[in-house]
Amino acid sequence: MAKANGSGRPSRLFRNLNAKIAAIPMILTAMVVFVGFSLWTVVYSFTKSGLLPRRDFIGLTQYERLWSNAKWLISIQNLVIFGACMLIFSFVIGFVLACLLDQKVRFEGVFRTVLLYPFALSFVVTGVVWQWILNPDFGFQSIVRATGWESFTFDPLNNGKIVMLGVVIAALWQGTGFVMVLLLAGLRGVDDEIWKATRIDGVPAWKTYLFVVVPMLRPVFITALVIVTAGIVKVYDLVVAQTNGGPGISSEVPAKYVYDQMFLNQNLGQGFAASTMMLVTVAIIIIPWAYLEFGGRKRG
Amino acid sequence: MADIAFDGPRGSKPRHRLSGRNIMIYGTLIVVALYYLIPLYVMVMTSLKGLPEIRVGNIFSPPVEATFEPWVKAWSQACTGLNCEGLQRGFWNSVRITVPSVFLSILIASINGYALANWRFRGAEFFFAILMIGAFIPYQVMIYPMVILLRELGLYGSLTGLVLVHTVFGMPILTLLFRNYFATLPEELFKAARVDGTGFWGIYFRIMLPLSLPIFVVAVILQVTGIWNDFLFGVVYTKPEYYPMTVQLNNIVNTTTGVREYNVNMAATILTGLVPLLIYFVSGRLFVRGIAAGAVKG
């Protein structure tokens, strides 16, 4: 594996020393922040920490409190709704758009630029803009009403039952372009021969896409899936800017619960327990993927 | 190989100009494109209207009497709940956060990537794997221990502390980007330099760096937009006088006291989105290549 062995060096440790020194920031980040900090939080989630972290271990009490807290239960429910909608819609729409753009479309660059620009924006910007567009008195609802359909009602941001729909609309606006670009890059990597072969066999294009190309793009799909899912679990700023968890607590999400407990309610133990649950959720998604990516096959 | 993305469309050939198929394709694309453009349009229109006009009109209509007053107000007078200095302080804070963070994170990550691609040592792949998996750990898990670390270092609440945080959390994606890029450079170059007796740093500065300007540009684009758009770290690791623009925007818009000035809010929103948007429109292709390269090859 090692391409560059310094020959005749006395000790293994000093072999390739410069590279090891150069990698210190990476090693520190990996071991101290990613491993160390995470373990610290997990350990302290079993303590009674309030305003400051304390080492009074109280077993699973924080988790019992967490899972009987209405705000947390709603957060989890919202995350599931949000996550399912995001995955389904961003991938279906993203894939359809990628296929459309792959048809030797004129002005492809213009379309791509337009579909991706929201991805460059902050979630705060996205949240604020959609808060305004979905404003019942001036936004979408009032415009439809002005056309004569007086009873039209679409006011997700003030209706706890459908508030997550409003958040999903904003998140899709921002994120679908990203999925599309990844899939389009994958489509462009598909060999021309495949297209020639299926055309000679008289297979319709949509069938080729669905049954030949999609299986070929599996790695791209999986990568996109992992990135989008990890983003879903982290969703925070969008909700803060668009609804701030409201109306009431009906659009709370786990990341916001953690922040509120840690920095507003001075209830660190709850924050640690909730963030540990987020870690577990991500681990369930990531570990199988990481195993396939790093462990399952040999490199080089 | 670096150019797999978008070197040309490869779908089946178009037949007739105005076939039903073409109408469907362009129709769908145009409708979707309009949906994507509407928020930008609404933002600009709203920011150019006076409050009375907003109250009577609809959000899609262009302003009858365009005014730049909301922009001036957003920049220098809007209230955040703490003060009424507008967004300007946040803008300069964001500049002071973004510039050093981008520089430091790219410097460190490029050297990491170089060591990983060309000077593999025992355990390197292990640390890299942890770094990659770590990229998916929700920040909320690591946020409080980081508070303690920064407090111990005396950096909690300072801009330096926030720069450090951005450098640390930007490392996985950037290291991946550089590692993958350096791995595609011809190995013969590296070997020849080795034979000539050039060392670790010599090869980095004299061979790798000049050959990889495109990937550095991609990294700058990724980092400037990413750090400029950050909200969570800004809230957690700085004090109000150092809040970045995104945090100030949120405070201005969601302040509940007084009359809600929608036009000022929208002007503030555009101002906050302006830097990443400019970067995106100027660098379009590289931006796309950056996110595609980072993800597809990972």
Side-chain angles (χ1 to χ4, degrees):
Chain A
M1 285 292 271
K3 282 187 212 168
N5 289 335
S7 56
R9 294 272 176 81
S11 159
R12 295 198 85 163
L13 189 68
F14 293 108
R15 189 184 289 170
N16 210 349
L17 186 63
N18 271 323
K20 285 175 188 166
I21 293 172
I24 285 175
M26 178 187 88
I27 295 171
L28 282 180
T29 299
M31 301 316 287
V32 175
V33 178
F34 291 158
V35 176
F37 283 9
S38 302
L39 285 177
W40 189 95
T41 297
V42 173
V43 168
Y44 274 82
S45 72
F46 299 107
T47 68
K48 220 169 136 184
S49 305
L51 175 60
L52 290 170
R54 284 193 299 167
R55 246 181 259 182
D56 281 335
F57 287 96
I58 50 168
L60 290 171
T61 312
Q62 295 287 8
Y63 290 91
E64 281 162 21
R65 270 186 219 155
L66 183 68
W67 286 103
S68 55
N69 184 320
K71 202 171 148 188
W72 173 256
L73 294 174
I74 286 180
S75 301
I76 291 292
Q77 192 192 325
N78 283 340
L79 188 65
V80 172
I81 297 169
F82 178 76
C85 292
M86 275 307 283
L87 283 178
I88 294 169
F89 291 115
S90 69
F91 274 83
V92 171
I93 299 171
F95 185 66
V96 170
L97 289 176
C99 292
L100 289 179
L101 279 187
D102 198 34
Q103 307 302 313
K104 292 199 172 169
V105 171
R106 268 171 191 247
F107 312 115
E108 187 202 319
V110 176
F111 282 119
R112 214 174 48 217
T113 306
V114 168
L115 297 183
L116 191 63
Y117 87 89
F119 187 71
L121 292 171
S122 163
F123 273 120
V124 179
V125 169
T126 304
V128 169
V129 174
W130 283 94
Q131 186 190 61
W132 174 233
I133 293 176
L134 296 175
N135 183 309
D137 301 323
F138 307 106
F140 182 63
Q141 176 179 287
S142 80
I143 289 166
V144 176
R145 281 187 185 176
T147 64
W149 185 359
E150 295 285 340
S151 63
F152 177 80
T153 309
F154 185 70
D155 184 13
L157 300 189
N158 294 305
N159 178 350
K161 282 182 191 147
I162 54 168
V163 63
M164 287 317 284
L165 185 64
V167 180
V168 167
I169 291 173
L172 280 175
W173 178 73
Q174 174 152 12
T176 310
F178 172 70
V179 177
M180 180 208 73
V181 161
L182 288 190
L183 297 181
L184 185 59
L187 285 177
R188 292 289 151 81
V190 171
D191 200 333
D192 248 354
E193 299 300 315
I194 304 272
W195 284 110
K196 284 181 193 151
T198 52
R199 219 174 302 147
I200 288 166
D201 287 347
V203 182
W206 66 270
K207 265 192 177 172
T208 313
Y209 272 113
L210 219 52
F211 299 113
V212 180
V213 174
V214 169
M216 284 179 74
L217 292 186
R218 219 183 62 134
V220 181
F221 269 105
I222 290 176
T223 311
L225 193 71
V226 169
I227 294 174
V228 171
T229 313
I232 288 169
V233 179
K234 286 178 186 173
V235 63
Y236 172 72
D237 7 8
L238 178 62
V239 171
V240 170
Q242 200 182 1
T243 68
N244 202 18
I249 55 168
S250 46
S251 63
E252 291 286 340
V253 285
K256 186 167 176 295
Y257 183 87
V258 172
Y259 179 87
D260 291 353
Q261 293 292 348
M262 280 186 187
F263 298 101
L264 300 179
N265 302 348
Q266 280 139 14
N267 195 346
L268 285 177
Q270 270 295 289
F272 296 149
S275 55
T276 303
M277 293 315 304
M278 290 176 71
L279 181 64
V280 171
T281 314
V282 173
I284 291 170
I285 302 158
I286 297 302
I287 287 174
W289 171 76
Y291 179 77
L292 288 174
E293 187 82 353
F294 295 105
R297 70 185 137 96
K298 282 186 181 164
R299 298 212 160 196
Chain B
M1 277 308 282
D3 287 54
I4 51 152
F6 316 123
D7 43 6
R10 294 222 187 123
S12 49
K13 279 186 185 166
R15 284 156 216 154
H16 311 289
R17 285 229 159 174
L18 263 176
S19 63
R21 184 171 162 278
N22 270 357
I23 291 173
M24 201 192 74
I25 290 174
Y26 286 99
T28 315
L29 283 174
I30 288 169
V31 169
V32 175
L34 283 180
Y35 168 75
Y36 271 78
L37 284 172
I38 281 173
L40 190 62
Y41 172 81
V42 168
M43 262 194 278
V44 175
M45 290 308 137
T46 307
S47 74
L48 295 174
K49 291 178 193 170
L51 264 188
E53 201 187 326
I54 291 177
R55 291 220 180 82
V56 294
N58 84 45
I59 57 172
F60 293 118
S61 60
V64 179
E65 238 180 289
T67 164
F68 284 97
E69 205 185 322
W71 288 68
V72 176
K73 203 167 176 198
W75 178 252
S76 55
Q77 293 152 39
C79 297
T80 60
L82 279 169
N83 56 45
C84 291
E85 296 180 330
L87 269 177
Q88 50 179 337
R89 182 196 280 266
F91 174 83
W92 290 113
N93 284 341
S94 281
V95 171
R96 283 159 72 198
I97 294 162
T98 305
V99 172
S101 304
V102 169
F103 178 78
L104 194 63
S105 62
I106 290 178
L107 181 74
I108 290 179
S110 64
I111 294 170
N112 280 340
Y114 163 63
L116 284 167
N118 298 96
W119 299 79
R120 282 181 238 168
F121 54 89
R122 243 170 187 280
E125 286 294 308
F126 170 74
F127 293 122
F128 181 66
I130 291 188
L131 198 69
M132 286 301 100
I133 295 165
F136 293 104
I137 300 175
Y139 295 136
Q140 281 73 17
V141 179
M142 300 171 282
I143 217 165
Y144 199 81
M146 188 57 108
V147 169
I148 298 177
L149 178 73
L150 291 179
R151 203 183 277 144
E152 292 299 314
L153 294 172
L155 296 174
Y156 184 51
S158 70
L159 289 176
T160 317
L162 187 55
V163 168
L164 195 71
V165 171
H166 280 304
T167 305
V168 164
F169 289 114
M171 211 180 284
I173 177 70
L174 288 181
T175 305
L176 175 76
L177 197 70
F178 282 107
R179 186 194 82 135
N180 289 352
Y181 186 83
F182 290 139
T184 60
L185 294 180
E187 215 181 328
E188 287 70 29
L189 270 174
F190 177 79
K191 279 184 181 157
R194 288 281 292 157
V195 172
D196 285 348
T198 319
F200 183 88
W201 299 106
I203 296 179
Y204 175 76
F205 283 108
R206 272 185 274 154
I207 296 171
M208 295 303 179
L209 214 74
L211 278 177
S212 28
L213 279 180
I215 206 69
F216 274 92
V217 175
V218 168
V220 168
I221 294 165
L222 266 183
Q223 283 298 86
V224 172
T225 47
I227 294 169
W228 192 274
N229 290 339
D230 161 67
F231 177 80
L232 180 66
F233 295 149
V235 173
V236 173
Y237 297 112
T238 57
K239 25 184 185 196
E241 54 175 308
Y242 293 138
Y243 275 165
M245 212 170 179
T246 47
V247 179
Q248 282 214 321
L249 170 67
N250 185 51
N251 289 348
I252 287 174
V253 174
N254 292 321
T255 297
T256 40
T257 51
V259 189
R260 284 201 136 196
E261 295 178 291
Y262 299 108
N263 50 356
V264 176
N265 290 350
M266 284 303 117
T269 311
I270 300 172
L271 285 170
T272 309
L274 217 50
V275 168
L277 272 187
L278 268 180
I279 289 184
Y280 173 72
F281 284 117
V282 170
S283 70
R285 266 182 175 246
L286 283 171
F287 182 93
V288 171
R289 195 169 294 177
I291 59 173
V296 174
K297 291 189 198 162

